[in-house]
Structure formats: structure tokens, C-alpha cells
Amino acid sequence: MSKKVKTLLILLILFFGGRKSYCQDYTTEKQKILNVVINSVQFDSIYFSKRVYIQTNELLSIKSGFDLKREEYKVRFVNRVGAGLVKQYIVLGDFTMARENPQAVRVQIEVMPQNILLNMRLTKNDSEWKIANHLIMYD
């Protein structure tokens, strides 16, 4: 095998091997952030059910593999049809976070069917996510 081919193989292994770890880290950060959001006082003020139901969409799906809990209750994911069967559920509308070394994130969720919008900005302090500010809008 030529030296160029060996070098190319090593670069590909490093790129794709690191990419898996990078994707895993990004997913882990998203999970931590969403757990902070659904266990916050701000969320408690607009969501009144013990169990949290999240409608799946392109940002969050059943296959996401997230381990989300509100207190001792595991979050359940429902599709659009299933969402109509529960009294209250949330839709993740926006999730804006840098891909590499995120230090801040903006999360927007809507509580349905009440149409209450919760916008949060979280910052990372000593590897923990803290709520920096929030805005609640009622329809």
C-alpha cells in the first residue's frame, strides 16, 4: 500500500472516529439542557401535569435516545395523532446551540393546547447549564 493511501486511511479513521464522539457529545449536551428546562420553576409555572409529553418533530424524535425525566417521571414522546389524546403536551419549536464547545443555548417550547410559549436562554457555567433568562408569552 502506498504512503498516500495509508495517510488517507488514517485521516478518514480520525475524522469519522472523532465525528461519532462529537455527535455523542452534542446529543448529551442537548439532553442535559432539555432536562434543565423541564425541571425548572419557569416550566412548572406553565405546565401542570406530572407527566411530560413531547410531540415528535424533526428536532426531537422517539429515536433520539434521550433520557429525559421530570422528577421521577420519564418523558414520553408522542406523534401528532397521540398528542391529541393527552391533556397537555409540549412542542420543541427551536433549539439553537453552537456545534462545537457550546456556552449558550436558546430553547423555545410551546405548551399545547394552551398555546403558551416559553423562551429560555441557558448558559454553561462549570459544565452545568443554568437559566440566564426566560420569557413566557400567552396566546
Side-chain angles (χ1 to χ4, degrees), residues 2-126:
S2 74
K3 190 173 184 178
K4 288 181 181 181
V5 172
K6 286 181 184 179
T7 305
L8 179 61
L9 285 174
I10 291 171
L11 288 173
L12 288 172
I13 290 169
L14 289 174
F15 176 76
F16 286 108
R19 186 175 173 99
K20 184 176 180 182
S21 173
Y22 161 75
C23 290
Q24 179 83 27
D25 293 344
Y26 188 71
T27 301
T28 301
E29 288 301 315
K30 286 195 299 189
Q31 179 176 297
K32 287 179 187 177
I33 292 162
L34 291 173
N35 273 312
V36 169
V37 170
I38 64 174
N39 288 289
S40 69
V41 173
Q42 295 84 352
F43 186 78
D44 288 344
S45 72
I46 61 171
Y47 194 87
F48 307 112
S49 178
K50 288 181 183 179
R51 294 201 183 271
V52 176
Y53 296 92
I54 299 178
Q55 181 178 316
T56 58
N57 60 19
E58 65 277 356
L59 298 172
L60 205 58
S61 70
I62 294 169
K63 295 178 183 178
S64 299
F66 288 132
D67 184 24
L68 302 175
K69 288 185 179 180
R70 182 175 188 209
E71 298 173 9
E72 71 270 9
Y73 297 102
K74 190 170 182 166
V75 170
R76 303 211 178 172
F77 296 95
V78 293
N79 60 22
R80 184 170 272 180
V81 173
L85 302 175
V86 295
K87 290 183 180 181
Q88 197 173 36
Y89 62 95
I90 64 171
V91 177
L92 181 64
D94 191 28
F95 191 94
T96 308
M97 179 173 77
R99 288 267 184 201
E100 293 182 29
N101 194 24
Q103 296 301 310
V105 63
R106 187 177 80 82
V107 179
Q108 181 184 70
I109 60 171
E110 186 169 8
V111 178
M112 299 299 288
Q114 294 84 359
N115 296 324
I116 303 171
L117 197 66
L118 172 62
N119 282 298
M120 287 187 155
R121 184 173 185 277
L122 293 91
T123 56
K124 194 173 188 182
N125 296 328
D126 298 328

